Amino acid sequence: SDSKRFILAFGCNDYGSATLDPMLIRWSDQEDPYNWTPDATNQAGSARLSHGSEIISAIQTRQEIVVLTDSSVYSLQYLGPPYVWGSQLLGDNISIAGQNAAVIASGVVYWMGVDKFYKYDGRTQTLRCDLRQFIFSDINQSQSQQVFAGTNEGFNEVWWFYCSASSNQVDKYVVYNYLDKVWYYGT
């Protein structure tokens, strides 16, 4: 977290354990990236998310960190001692295609799910997409981890690159112009 000066780990082992917990978030002490031991004299700690089976991605915004699991979206916000970081469920039954399928543009988080597109601008919404059936009927779901998002903010665009149904390599893209609310695609 740039502004609060913590290092956070998503989907990690708990303090004193070697067992990986894919829904656990841990953070170091403030301004001390080497101290991960929770203590009354520091702010190191952890929180476990309850909805989903694994954390897929996290993206930092100005006010919060948006955490996407395989079935939900959370807001992670700095609260200060004694709780330090708190999580709030923003939406359930929401998917994300892969760990790089989310991006922030003009203060809004956009991401590609497994069957639709979403945005978070203070509330979680499904994006209306005229190309939805076209895109999701021609995507290789077994290669969804290759999906990645980018922005071209000079043109108010969010881009997603993905593998078509007949490919194991990224060969297609879909673009959303968030100012004009227009979609287009290409190879």
Side-chain angles (χ1 to χ4, degrees):
S1 170
D2 297 346
S3 62
K4 303 301 179 199
R5 307 204 31 92
F6 285 87
I7 294 182
L8 292 98
F10 298 89
C12 53
N13 60 305
D14 203 356
Y15 176 71
S17 172
T19 305
L20 180 70
D21 183 345
M23 294 294 287
L24 185 70
I25 301 170
R26 287 186 61 197
W27 52 88
S28 68
D29 186 20
Q30 190 171 31
E31 297 191 20
D32 186 355
Y34 302 106
N35 186 358
W36 292 77
T37 306
D39 190 274
T41 61
N42 69 33
Q43 293 188 60
S46 64
R48 188 173 196 289
L49 304 179
S50 58
H51 292 255
S53 60
E54 70 176 319
I55 296 170
I56 304 295
S57 188
I59 190 161
Q60 182 175 297
T61 69
R62 286 184 340 163
Q63 303 293 331
E64 62 199 329
I65 298 172
V66 176
V67 181
L68 297 139
T69 74
D70 56 350
S71 67
S72 59
V73 59
Y74 282 87
S75 169
L76 189 65
Q77 293 183 327
Y78 180 72
L79 304 173
Y83 302 109
V84 188
W85 289 91
S87 64
Q88 177 183 2
L89 181 66
L90 300 174
D92 213 359
N93 297 320
I94 294 173
S95 63
I96 183 167
Q99 69 182 17
N100 298 312
V103 69
I104 187 166
S106 295
V108 178
V109 179
Y110 295 91
W111 69 95
M112 177 189 250
V114 295
D115 61 352
K116 60 182 91 166
F117 296 93
Y118 300 93
K119 80 174 187 175
Y120 172 72
D121 59 359
R123 66 187 181 110
T124 305
Q125 305 170 59
T126 300
L127 285 174
R128 192 181 139 282
C129 178
D130 301 333
L131 300 173
R132 181 177 165 199
Q133 186 170 350
F134 174 79
I135 299 298
F136 290 103
S137 66
D138 184 34
I139 191 168
N140 187 340
Q141 292 291 348
S142 68
Q143 297 297 321
S144 64
Q145 286 301 315
Q146 291 192 55
V147 172
F148 67 95
T151 64
N152 185 346
E153 292 196 48
F155 291 96
N156 307 303
E157 295 172 339
V158 177
W159 290 61
W160 288 276
F161 299 88
Y162 64 96
C163 302
S164 66
S166 61
S167 177
N168 288 325
Q169 301 292 324
V170 171
D171 63 345
K172 297 224 174 165
Y173 66 86
V174 60
V175 179
Y176 177 60
N177 182 304
Y178 50 84
L179 187 63
D180 298 330
K181 297 182 175 37
V182 175
W183 292 87
Y184 43 99
Y185 64 94
T187 57

